[in-house]
Amino acid sequence: DVRNRGFDGLMIDWWGEGHPINAVTLRIQKQLALPHAKPLTFIIMIDRAKSAEELLGHIGYCQRQFFADPRYEREAGKPLLMFFGVGGTLQASGMEEAKKAASHPAEGIPLERFWKSTEQLESDWCDQVFQWSDEFKAGCDPRDPYHLERVGLFYKTVARFPRKKAVGGFCPSFNGTLTRRKAWSLGKFLPSDDGLCLVERARKINEVIPPNVTRMQWVTWQDYEEGSAAEPGIENHLSVSG
């Protein structure tokens, strides 16, 4: 399905060697190793680490299991390693400690929020940043219903650091009205408007995207925390009854 939709690879939200997600990741790795006319690459996104020591354990496992894989995504020969939430827990000092202690260089892509990305782009440990969903936290702004101003700020900030690269992002909608963990996403929302959000965001990105944005991510963890597939962004409301 991912291949047929035209994607080039997968970013896997990963919680550690002993977590059930790793069992799924290993199966994905085996599937990607099979010969195919449309080869896919993959990137690990470390989601949890309570200390620099734990993070080093995660990185060490990734080095042994994933980084040497020919399907693993690289930038200038170095494996790309993403972090979701880890930078906010360990802060810049902890991330710098982990990066220096790692036996092999891994480019770090830090936290998802714009202001965190701005802060971390200025840190030596941070080599790249990525854009997330940029949804509203407490109701949509009718003057800017698709949060285009915030989307534009991400790319304008990335442009200020031309020596560092970034991964842009498409998010066609976000619905946190029905969620398992209230602290994470309750109240977060971004209207789809039958694909208009996607179209307008794409138009905005096209206007401001700088050359150091090398990849685009399709944000899929957008509805009720279920990790949805890349759902169609445009609906036509046609129905068939018989």
Side-chain angles (χ1 to χ4, degrees), residues 170-213:
F170 287 119
C171 183
S173 66
F174 199 110
N175 194 332
T177 57
L178 296 174
T179 180
R180 179 175 60 86
R181 294 181 58 197
K182 294 181 180 180
W184 191 85
S185 65
L186 185 62
K188 295 181 179 180
F189 189 76
L190 186 67
S192 169
D193 283 351
D194 296 339
L196 190 57
C197 177
L198 176 61
V199 171
E200 288 300 307
R201 284 195 164 199
R203 179 187 60 79
K204 180 64 176 182
I205 292 171
N206 190 55
E207 290 176 355
V208 298
I209 188 169
N212 52 331
V213 175

Side-chain angles (χ1 to χ4, degrees), residues 135-166:
E135 74 291 340
F136 290 100
K137 305 299 190 297
C140 297
D141 183 350
R143 299 165 300 179
D144 183 14
Y146 312 122
H147 229 338
L148 300 183
E149 181 179 4
R150 182 170 178 138
V151 171
L153 283 174
F154 171 83
Y155 295 97
K156 290 178 181 178
T157 301
V158 167
R160 291 172 40 215
F161 298 87
R163 295 185 179 181
K164 296 190 176 184
K165 295 180 175 62

